[in-house]
Amino acid sequence: MEEEWCYRGEGNASIVVACAKKNIVYRIKKVEKDGTIKAKSNLDVLDFVKNFMKSFISFQFLVPMKFVKLPDGLIEKIQTSWRRLRPEYRLCKNVDCASVEAIEMPDLCFLYPADTCQVISPTYTFEIKPKWGLLPVGESASGLKKSNCRFCMHQFLKVRDEKWSRRSLYCPIDLFSGCATRMKYALCKLHSCPQNNFCIYRNGQKIWCDESLDEKSTFENCLDSASTDELLDVVVKSLLYPDKGYNSTTGLHTRQLCHLSSCEHLCNDECDRLSAGCVLSQILDVQSVDDIDHEELHSHFIKASHAFSADSELRRLHNIDGPYSHWLELPLIDSIDPDVAYSILKIKKYLVSRSAKDCSILITVQLMNLE
């Protein structure tokens, strides 16, 4: 156990551990300290990705997943030996000690080149949480909201509430612009203030994140002799790499500008836009499913909550807890109140969009000699 498994990282709902011998990672569900489970089960996650998200995101950008049994002793190791490795602000939750299963995925921090390729450098993996790439929409999105993205506005709130000591100058609108200059600028701002949204791994070991920074930290220091500018070019090209077989649900996205962005570069409207079918374009398609702002959502939530309280069968009729294959389709049942059905659909669209507003993109690169 000591040699096989290592702690890789965690988010709000799961802890990820890696097995170097098998080139796999396990995603293990977390619970509240009192044992309360708020996250969806692993089976629900698999069902949602395999039977719903596949209609929005190309298979080449989705990580293969399967349900597996946890090896003996792994949960105990996370709870004891690895506790010191976990960020302090994540210790408010624990792994589910009663869990015996996990989601298995390939370890994307490594490449597996053909035998003819000579590897001449370590692998570098960039984990990016691009966040919300659109300005707020809906009737209530007026004034400041129409010209400033939600991420940039939230930065002022998070600094005021002391969640972060300083404001990130990263703006998702720049990353989703399709303009290489603005995208590189956004990546540099992510790098200088990662918060939870940017990590760099070298050979599977986290070497750059918010917890690891000090006053002497630089991009060049963590990348050894690798050229920072060339690596950023590769990351941008990867983000713009098109899937020519992808059919967009929304068409080309209109370029937007956030007034809070510190990037002063003006793009060429004719040349600089997201490639059709690239991963950022597909993420925007999912984010665009939601067409109302938070304030408008509240009334729909109240209406749906009252309906669920009055009729326990309503959750099943609307497939709230799955199956997810036709999740955004209205049930063809005459007895269902159309106003309630409309509110439930609006909430579902919000949840689908939200899943793409907090997703991660992993890009792994390695220098090789092809001669």
Side-chain angles (χ1 to χ4, degrees):
M1 179 70 70
E2 188 69 34
E3 297 177 353
E4 288 188 2
W5 293 94
C6 66
Y7 172 84
R8 176 63 59 79
E10 62 186 283
N12 188 48
S14 304
I15 283 181
V16 177
V17 298
C19 179
K21 289 185 177 180
K22 297 180 179 179
N23 295 321
I24 58 172
V25 297
Y26 281 176
R27 171 178 164 166
I28 303 171
K29 190 173 56 183
K30 291 164 65 173
V31 297
E32 304 294 324
K33 276 197 170 181
D34 62 2
T36 304
I37 300 175
K38 292 185 178 180
K40 285 286 188 181
S41 71
N42 287 328
L43 282 176
D44 282 332
V45 171
L46 282 176
D47 185 16
F48 184 76
V49 172
K50 289 184 175 181
N51 296 312
F52 181 79
M53 290 305 294
K54 69 177 183 181
S55 62
F56 287 94
I57 304 291
S58 299
F59 74 92
Q60 66 176 337
F61 295 135
L62 289 176
V63 182
M65 300 179 177
K66 66 179 182 180
F67 204 47
V68 295
K69 187 174 185 279
L70 284 170
D72 294 338
L74 185 57
I75 291 291
E76 291 77 7
K77 190 172 186 62
I78 296 172
Q79 290 282 55
T80 55
S81 304
W82 292 350
R83 183 178 174 84
R84 59 183 174 80
L85 303 176
R86 299 177 59 196
E88 186 175 352
Y89 69 94
R90 295 292 189 191
L91 296 178
C92 58
K93 291 186 179 181
N94 296 318
V95 287
D96 184 2
C97 294
S99 178
V100 294
E101 292 116 353
I103 294 177
E104 179 187 303
M105 300 176 284
D107 190 345
L108 301 181
C109 283
F110 294 94
L111 297 174
Y112 310 101
D115 294 337
T116 55
C117 299
Q118 181 183 359
V119 176
I120 59 176
S121 81
T123 58
Y124 291 101
T125 301
F126 299 83
E127 181 179 3
I128 303 164
K129 280 193 172 184
K131 312 306 284 187
W132 196 353
L134 297 165
L135 295 177
V137 295
E139 295 179 2
S140 65
S142 58
L144 288 174
K145 284 188 176 181
K146 277 202 173 293
S147 55
N148 300 293
C149 79
R150 189 170 294 277
F151 179 87
C152 288
M153 289 190 289
H154 276 182
Q155 284 297 307
F156 292 96
L157 178 65
K158 291 181 178 181
V159 171
R160 188 201 69 182
D161 293 345
E162 299 184 345
K163 180 173 182 180
W164 300 111
S165 60
R166 59 189 174 119
R167 182 169 69 93
S168 170
L169 296 181
Y170 165 68
C171 177
I173 306 298
D174 290 329
L175 187 67
F176 281 92
S177 68
C179 170
T181 302
R182 284 177 67 188
M183 293 174 72
K184 286 178 71 172
Y185 182 86
L187 290 169
C188 287
K189 294 306 175 185
L190 265 181
H191 155 261
S192 63
C193 187
Q195 296 184 353
N196 289 332
N197 306 314
F198 185 74
C199 289
I200 302 176
Y201 300 85
R202 181 172 56 223
N203 291 337
Q205 297 296 316
K206 188 181 292 187
I207 58 171
W208 190 271
C209 61
D210 202 75
E211 309 98 70
S212 66
L213 299 186
D214 57 45
E215 294 180 357
K216 298 180 180 179
S217 296
T218 67
F219 221 157
E220 289 74 12
N221 287 344
C222 78
L223 296 177
D224 297 330
S225 59
S227 167
T228 302
D229 199 55
E230 288 180 0
L231 275 174
L232 286 178
D233 282 336
V234 171
V235 172
V236 168
K237 288 178 181 178
S238 300
L239 292 171
L240 293 176
Y241 183 80
D243 176 3
K244 296 180 179 179
Y246 176 76
N247 294 316
S248 173
T249 57
T250 60
L252 290 175
H253 294 278
T254 303
R255 182 179 296 108
Q256 298 181 325
L257 291 172
C258 172
H259 289 186
L260 287 173
S261 169
S262 57
C263 180
E264 298 178 352
H265 179 77
L266 296 177
C267 297
N268 183 329
D269 286 337
E270 296 299 321
C271 303
D272 298 325
R273 63 171 61 248
L274 287 178
S275 308
C278 70
V279 65
L280 290 178
S281 178
Q282 294 190 32
I283 289 172
L284 274 189
D285 279 353
V286 184
Q287 294 182 358
S288 300
V289 168
D290 177 26
D291 57 0
I292 58 175
D293 199 35
H294 290 162
E295 288 81 355
E296 298 169 71
L297 182 72
H298 185 258
S299 61
H300 294 293
F301 179 78
I302 295 299
K303 185 181 292 185
S305 296
H306 289 161
F308 289 142
S309 298
D311 185 356
S312 59
E313 187 69 3
L314 208 55
R315 290 185 68 91
R316 185 189 65 80
L317 294 175
H318 284 272
N319 296 328
I320 299 300
D321 304 303
Y324 299 100
S325 53
H326 302 287
W327 208 51
L328 294 184
E329 295 179 10
L330 290 171
L332 301 176
I333 302 173
D334 293 336
S335 60
I336 293 179
D337 183 337
D339 288 340
V340 172
Y342 179 77
S343 290
I344 292 173
L345 182 61
K346 286 293 185 181
I347 295 169
K348 284 182 175 182
K349 286 184 174 182
Y350 166 79
L351 293 173
V352 170
S353 174
R354 186 182 174 113
S355 70
K357 292 168 186 171
D358 200 36
C359 66
S360 290
I361 301 172
L362 273 75
I363 300 172
T364 299
V365 299
Q366 188 173 36
L367 189 62
M368 298 180 185
N369 187 350
L370 302 179
E371 297 180 359

